[in-house]
Amino acid sequence: MISNCSRITLFVLLIAGFCPAVAQDMRDISAKVFVHADAQLRRSILELGDSLRFPRATNPDGAWKTIPITDWTSGFFPGCLWHMYEYSKDPHFRSAAERWTEKLEPMQYFIDNHDIGFMIFNSYGNGYRLTGNPAYRRVVLQAARTAVKRFNPRVGCIKSWDNPKWEYPVIVDNMMNLELLFWAVQNGADSSLYRIAMSHAERTMKNHFRPDGSTFHVISYDSTEGRVIGGYTAQGYSDSSTWSRGQAWAVYGFTMAYRFTRDSRFLHTAQRAAGYFIDNLPADHVPYWDFKAPGIPNEPRDASAAAIAACGLLELSTYTEDKPHSQRLFATAESILRSLASAPYSSAGSPSRGITLHSVTSKPANAEVDVTLIYADYYFLEALLKHRRMSASR
Ligand code: GLY
């Protein structure tokens, strides 16, 4: 029995076959999104002014709800500005990106949780990649040295949260923050950071995955012996369900780990995570907030999970030698991007100051349900830029 989603993916594969007309159509779609993003980001820059608070999610009237620099999402607004600058080369976006990036300078020493990678790599990391500013490089390297202060060698992982509910919680999201460490080692940091990132990825590969390729959101360890206490959820429906953004972090996180290490175990793990993600998508390729949410199909979607997964799937398709498999990954990513670029997921014509609609921070906590999230926008723009680069090099 073939699911709706697989049927649509196969159809896209057949007509796409990397044919030039389809590639051009995707370029037109992404050009239109960047016109919209340009207007939305200009308006946000203007409305936020000199604020030291960063946009995170939209309020019901569409205006940004803002947060202090210590929030895990603070790097995404400067990151969106860098993406916009990368696309347009417009000096207005470069100076705004620099201004918003530099407000995060104190965060290079932040040790309260694992999120320093999201904060610093998406802001200063993109800034260094696009400008070569040596001061930015120094901040990223310091942030990597700070991140490993949360590593416990007995557990073999960086501790995600100091939450008394769990002894030593490690969340699947934390895979993404290893990018900071791998990058730092390539850029002159001590090789111990590479060993720490490897250890964290290996432990996550071993303990976060279920036999069907789905993931636990949280694994709690015993901090003395490093034993797994159990698998749990914080933002998903239940301990045994699969929170869709967590699964997306796994897809992208292990793809990124393979990029830096060329360790085939990470490639295989990314492919397993991707297989579960793709096989459980609804027809429009934007997942419900949890793959096992009890009220499906009357449950909120999570556009942020779709956007993160699209980034991972595009890149993973380039590492996957089996051609039909690679094309399936690529075609799924394209289908996600097409959906996010159009109604009901595009914010065009809505009061939202962001670019996408219909994301969820935490349904169990009733926090930011069915809103624009700044990180959905960030990964959506990133995926579109990746797609443009990949199409140009075909
Ligand atoms: N890393 C936090 C989240 O994905 O909600």
Side-chain angles (χ1 to χ4, degrees):
M1 173 90 174
I2 182 162
S3 70
N4 260 353
C5 170
S6 308
R7 209 173 284 132
I8 291 166
T9 303
L10 275 175
F11 176 70
V12 172
L13 275 177
L14 283 175
I15 57 160
F18 303 108
C19 99
V22 173
Q24 184 54 43
D25 163 52
M26 267 308 297
R27 284 186 80 77
D28 293 346
I29 289 174
S30 72
K32 216 169 128 195
V33 173
F34 275 102
V35 168
H36 178 50
D38 182 300
Q40 295 292 81
L41 289 167
R42 273 178 207 277
R43 182 176 181 187
S44 297
I45 293 165
L46 210 65
E47 287 185 356
L48 292 160
D50 290 336
S51 173
L52 287 176
R53 292 177 64 87
F54 286 62
R56 167 181 163 122
T58 47
N59 289 315
D61 66 356
W64 286 115
K65 171 180 136 188
T66 59
I67 40 83
I69 58 172
T70 49
D71 188 88
W72 80 275
T73 63
S74 58
F76 291 113
F77 182 61
C80 286
L81 298 173
W82 284 120
H83 287 334
M84 198 61 230
Y85 171 63
E86 181 171 3
Y87 177 81
S88 66
K89 301 290 176 293
D90 183 334
H92 173 71
F93 284 111
R94 176 171 173 160
S95 70
E98 286 171 340
R99 217 157 30 82
W100 282 90
T101 292
E102 289 162 23
K103 293 179 197 197
L104 293 179
E105 202 259 343
M107 299 314 293
Q108 64 187 299
Y109 303 108
F110 184 76
I111 53 163
D112 291 3
N113 59 43
H114 70 113
D115 288 319
I116 191 167
F118 288 119
M119 297 161 172
I120 295 293
F121 206 70
N122 300 335
S123 53
Y124 279 91
N126 277 314
Y128 179 65
R129 182 174 61 80
L130 293 171
T131 68
N133 181 342
Y136 286 10
R137 181 171 177 273
R138 283 194 292 277
V139 171
V140 182
L141 287 171
Q142 175 54 49
R145 289 193 292 273
T146 304
V148 297
K149 293 195 173 141
R150 295 184 64 84
F151 181 74
N152 174 342
R154 288 186 297 274
V155 176
C157 288
I158 292 166
K159 189 181 185 189
S160 300
W161 297 325
D162 299 330
N163 181 335
K165 189 169 171 192
W166 295 292
E167 181 171 340
Y168 195 102
V170 177
I171 61 173
V172 68
D173 324 25
N174 204 332
M175 277 301 300
M176 287 306 296
N177 288 316
L178 303 185
E179 189 168 12
L180 177 65
L181 307 189
F182 285 130
W183 180 94
V185 175
Q186 279 188 349
N187 285 271
D190 190 278
S191 61
S192 62
L193 271 59
Y194 187 88
R195 289 194 292 279
I196 287 172
M198 278 299 282
S199 167
H200 186 105
E202 284 167 342
R203 295 286 277 161
T204 304
M205 176 176 71
K206 181 162 184 276
N207 297 323
H208 269 79
F209 279 81
R210 306 189 186 99
D212 63 357
S214 68
T215 50
F216 291 104
H217 182 196
V218 185
I219 292 290
S220 183
Y221 292 92
D222 161 280
S223 49
T224 323
E225 293 168 9
R227 190 174 44 82
V228 172
I229 296 173
Y232 309 96
T233 198
Q235 284 155 267
Y237 168 61
S238 75
D239 293 345
S240 59
S241 72
T242 303
W243 176 49
S244 58
R245 193 162 58 252
Q247 192 70 17
W249 292 132
V251 173
Y252 198 12
F254 278 96
T255 301
M256 174 279 299
Y258 178 72
R259 182 201 314 152
F260 283 99
T261 63
R262 298 291 150 170
D263 187 320
S264 60
R265 296 170 307 161
F266 297 156
L267 176 61
H268 180 62
T269 304
Q271 287 166 336
R272 287 182 66 213
Y276 182 91
F277 193 93
I278 294 171
D279 288 346
N280 289 281
L281 285 174
D284 69 2
H285 296 85
V286 178
Y288 296 94
W289 65 279
D290 188 298
F291 286 111
K292 296 274 187 286
I296 290 173
N298 301 312
E299 292 277 1
R301 304 302 183 95
D302 184 11
S304 74
I308 295 160
C311 290
L313 295 173
L314 285 175
E315 185 174 348
L316 186 57
S317 75
T318 67
Y319 305 142
T320 300
E321 282 178 12
D322 176 67
K323 197 144 188 208
H325 187 196
S326 164
Q327 289 189 344
R328 182 175 188 240
L329 299 169
F330 187 83
T332 305
E334 273 199 341
S335 300
I336 289 173
L337 297 180
R338 282 173 203 280
S339 280
L340 296 184
S342 53
Y345 299 103
S346 165
S347 71
S350 85
S352 169
R353 305 304 197 270
I355 300 159
T356 58
L357 300 173
H358 303 304
S359 290
V360 176
T361 287
S362 174
K363 179 94 186 326
N366 197 22
E368 298 163 351
V369 176
D370 200 12
V371 296
T372 294
L373 289 174
I374 190 71
Y375 43 101
D377 291 359
Y378 174 88
Y379 288 106
F380 182 37
L381 296 184
E382 179 178 315
L384 290 171
L385 288 169
K386 260 184 208 277
H387 186 278
R388 290 177 80 84
R389 278 195 297 273
M390 287 170 71
S391 317
S393 65
R394 272 177 202 287

